[in-house]
Amino acid sequence: MGQDEQIVTVADEYGNSPGLWRRMLKRLEVEGNTGHSNKDLDPVPPEMRTWNWWHYISYWISDNFTPSGWRKAASLMQIGMSWRIALLNVAVSEILIAAVITINGYVGAKYHISFTVQSRASFGYYFSILMICMRMIVGTFWYGISTYTGAECVRSMIYAMSPRFRHLQNTLPASSHINTQFMISYFIYFVSILPLHYVPIHRIRFLFTVKAIVTPIIGFGIMGWTIANASVGKESLWSQGNTVHGSALGWVFMSGVYSNMGGWATLAVNAPDFTRYAISPKHTYTMAVALPFTATLITFFGVVGAAGSKVLFGQILWDPLLFIDNWTSPGGRAAAFFCALGFYLAQACANISANSISAANDLNCMFPRYINIRRGQFIIAFVGAWALTPWNILTSASSFLAFMSGYSVWLAPLCGVMVSDFFFVHKGKYDVWELYNKDGIYRYNKWGVNWRSVVAFFVGWVPLFPGFLPSVNKSIHVAKGAVHLYYLGYFYGFGAAALSYYVVCYFWPARETMLDVPVYCDDVLNAREIEENSYGESDSLEKKSN
């Protein structure tokens, strides 16, 4: 019998019913919570470890084959790269970040714990909450932005079904920064994906499998149609060379690498959130190949589409949705509908896997008594899609958008500390039981803060901050060296934090956390089962004695 049940029982014995507020809170508690954890926060039990190597390949096909992935080369060519250098830039950056994601994801696959629990070992039981909040803010923000892109997919589907929708009269004021046409599309998209938030993570893999089959077909189909009809000749982007040269090209290239790696900075941190569902760690290794291959391939599709659009439509269209919106014949509209439907599925899956589940895990950790992953996803959905009003951010809050895009300034050192802690400081040995104990060895001190990680974290981001400021406010001018260091941001942030954390721990180790033998999650689950059985036996004996 839990503490709350005992309180309610005592109150009833004296003839007093518990207060309304207390009864409401009791009803809101999630099933199986212990006050400090719940079933979604606990290590993943064996029966829910269902993801194999193919599911991780399909996961990355799901995340990359989106309108955003299609447009990736556009920003690189706008800052001076040729399409060839842009593709090389994407390949290099994706290979590097895939290595980070795979390495950090190993922790989740080995111990079957989420990022929120893993971070306690590095930052301390309570200071880790600050790191979790940082990641949750990013996930919620990008959920809203991705919802906007999903609404664009719905709008293209409606265009294909009803050409009259293109000319729908706007009844919203200009100050709202959104028109009636798009608000309808936005609402339809939001409502249509809500049921997907109800599906448990270990079962949602089937969506990634479906998308992994559908979206490459769409990509190859659009590319094949473009080549067949436009021939992608010399008057297109194929003939465009670099517009910057020498050292300037080198720094532009590094800026592109940092930007592309930063796009996956959140997933690099929360990789354990989905690798913990792996059958075994070896099944996650396919991510190291699947991520860079699919990202480079979809970028190439985007280059072909943009080159062909110049010939076919008289303008360069990097957005695949704008591309298919030009298919206005009856047959073309049918093809456009199914392409938009595929991109809709792609965007929905990417938003759930990269943003919704991640931020929901954070809420689950901060409020385990009342919020599980399912409830957390619905909260993130409404806050990200409606409270943040992403249409206002995209049209009138460029500085805030730039700030959030540069958030990897903090996420890179966060990830560096965790990787260094697991592989070099603790030699891969954690005690999972202690990670759930607020008074255990990973509390570090009475404040629950591992000061070593605080030092390393600040070493990782403070030197980058001056170079980050001009990207948010163009009126701020700093030394060119500071800007160049910022272009090396992920390398410096991750590397400096990882190295400084190892050095500090080498000279001032937290000896109480150094283990000779690791304690795995199955040991924890078995111990809890024995504990629950012992409670059950004691309760039954108590009833018999009464």
Side-chain angles (χ1 to χ4, degrees):
M1 182 180 294
Q3 183 179 2
D4 290 331
E5 293 175 349
Q6 290 176 355
I7 292 173
V8 172
T9 302
V10 171
D12 289 341
E13 287 176 355
Y14 284 95
N16 300 317
S17 61
L20 176 62
W21 178 248
R22 186 171 186 79
R23 292 201 304 272
M24 289 177 61
L25 288 178
K26 187 65 180 176
R27 287 181 177 275
L28 288 174
E29 291 184 5
V30 298
E31 181 183 355
N33 85 85
T34 61
H36 299 289
S37 186
N38 59 43
K39 292 181 179 180
D40 285 347
L41 192 60
D42 284 348
V44 177
E47 64 272 14
M48 294 175 64
R49 301 170 197 166
T50 56
W51 286 44
N52 59 33
W53 62 272
W54 163 249
H55 295 126
Y56 288 102
I57 292 177
S58 62
Y59 177 96
W60 285 110
I61 294 175
S62 170
D63 265 21
N64 278 312
F65 275 74
T66 62
S68 300
W70 189 284
R71 298 189 292 253
K72 191 166 287 186
S75 58
L76 299 176
M77 295 184 70
Q78 287 173 359
I79 60 176
M81 300 184 206
S82 68
W83 69 269
R84 294 178 180 84
I85 298 298
L87 278 181
L88 176 63
N89 187 280
V90 170
V92 169
S93 57
E94 303 296 334
I95 288 172
L96 293 173
I97 198 64
V100 175
I101 291 173
T102 304
I103 290 171
N104 194 38
Y106 179 81
V107 183
K110 182 177 181 180
Y111 287 96
H112 302 284
I113 56 175
S114 64
F115 149 75
T116 53
V117 176
Q118 175 200 359
S119 63
R120 294 170 179 172
S122 308
F123 294 94
Y125 193 92
Y126 288 117
F127 188 70
S128 65
I129 295 176
L130 176 60
M131 303 294 109
I132 293 167
C133 284
M134 290 175 55
R135 204 278 303 265
M136 184 192 68
I137 292 171
V138 180
T140 307
F141 172 83
W142 287 113
Y143 182 93
I145 301 299
S146 295
T147 301
Y148 189 95
T149 305
E152 292 178 321
C153 299
V154 172
R155 183 179 60 183
S156 291
M157 284 192 284
I158 301 177
Y159 280 169
M161 291 187 296
S162 175
R164 290 183 297 177
F165 189 72
R166 297 172 184 263
H167 310 291
L168 182 68
Q169 182 179 359
N170 179 39
T171 59
L172 297 175
S175 59
S176 65
H177 299 121
I178 189 172
N179 57 36
T180 302
Q181 180 192 92
F182 198 81
M183 179 58 79
I184 293 172
S185 303
Y186 193 90
F187 181 77
I188 292 174
Y189 173 80
F190 178 78
V191 172
S192 64
I193 68 166
L194 280 181
L196 297 180
H197 298 315
Y198 194 81
V199 182
I201 303 175
H202 66 286
R203 293 179 180 172
I204 204 170
R205 66 189 188 280
F206 80 91
L207 280 177
F208 301 135
T209 301
V210 171
K211 185 194 163 182
I213 297 171
V214 172
T215 49
I217 294 175
I218 292 173
F220 279 108
I222 294 176
M223 185 178 70
W225 181 88
T226 303
I227 293 174
N229 288 274
S231 299
V232 210
K234 293 183 179 180
E235 296 182 359
S236 65
L237 292 178
W238 297 113
S239 59
Q240 179 178 321
N242 299 320
T243 57
V244 293
H245 305 279
S247 61
L249 176 60
W251 286 114
V252 164
F253 188 89
M254 291 309 303
S255 172
V257 169
Y258 172 66
S259 177
N260 284 320
M261 293 184 70
W264 298 116
T266 306
L267 274 171
V269 169
N270 69 260
D273 287 351
F274 53 91
T275 58
R276 66 179 180 142
Y277 295 93
I279 297 173
S280 71
K282 66 181 180 181
H283 287 285
T284 66
Y285 300 160
T286 54
M287 297 192 300
V289 177
L291 169 54
F293 177 77
T294 56
T296 307
L297 180 61
I298 191 66
T299 303
F300 179 69
F301 288 169
V303 172
V304 173
S309 66
K310 176 66 174 177
V311 178
L312 292 167
F313 312 123
Q315 58 180 325
I316 297 176
L317 298 175
W318 286 103
D319 191 327
L321 299 170
L322 295 178
F323 187 99
I324 63 177
D325 285 346
N326 283 276
W327 296 349
T328 55
S329 67
R333 287 194 289 113
F337 174 83
F338 286 107
C339 287
L341 178 62
F343 283 122
Y344 161 88
L345 176 63
Q347 194 63 32
C349 290
N351 205 11
I352 290 173
S353 61
N355 301 314
S356 173
I357 290 175
S358 302
N361 265 304
D362 299 334
L363 283 176
N364 177 37
C365 179
M366 290 187 284
F367 307 102
R369 186 183 294 274
Y370 301 106
I371 299 177
N372 55 20
I373 293 178
R374 180 177 290 166
R375 291 182 182 180
Q377 286 198 79
F378 285 111
I379 293 172
I380 296 301
F382 281 93
V383 173
W386 296 104
L388 292 183
T389 60
W391 53 87
N392 282 318
I393 294 173
L394 290 169
T395 57
S396 62
S398 57
S399 295
F400 182 65
L401 184 62
F403 174 82
M404 294 304 297
S405 298
Y407 212 82
S408 54
V409 165
W410 293 279
L411 294 181
L414 194 164
C415 188
V417 168
M418 292 196 301
V419 169
S420 180
D421 181 79
F422 179 76
F423 287 98
F424 303 112
V425 175
H426 286 104
K427 312 294 184 185
K429 299 174 184 176
Y430 283 161
D431 184 335
V432 177
W433 180 267
E434 289 294 308
L435 288 171
Y436 291 86
N437 182 3
K438 65 182 179 65
D439 297 312
I441 59 176
Y442 300 112
R443 186 183 178 109
Y444 288 96
N445 51 43
K446 63 180 181 180
W447 298 287
V449 177
N450 180 9
W451 64 268
R452 304 160 189 82
S453 63
V454 177
V455 172
F457 180 66
F458 275 80
V459 169
W461 74 264
V462 169
L464 298 175
F465 196 68
F468 166 68
L469 291 176
S471 66
V472 179
N473 189 340
K474 300 298 183 183
S475 64
I476 297 177
H477 300 283
V478 298
K480 186 175 292 186
V483 176
H484 288 169
L485 180 61
Y486 174 67
Y487 289 163
L488 299 172
Y490 203 93
F491 299 102
Y492 172 83
F494 181 93
L499 179 60
S500 58
Y501 181 73
Y502 175 77
V503 171
V504 173
C505 290
Y506 180 83
F507 288 103
W508 295 278
R511 299 189 186 281
E512 69 276 11
T513 67
M514 305 300 174
L515 307 175
D516 294 326
V517 179
V519 178
Y520 292 100
C521 62
D522 290 341
D523 300 328
V524 176
L525 294 172
N526 292 336
R528 288 195 174 177
E529 184 177 353
I530 294 172
E531 185 179 11
E532 289 173 0
N533 291 337
S534 65
Y535 279 139
E537 291 175 0
S538 63
D539 284 346
S540 61
L541 290 173
E542 183 180 350
K543 290 178 181 178
K544 288 180 180 180
S545 63
N546 292 334

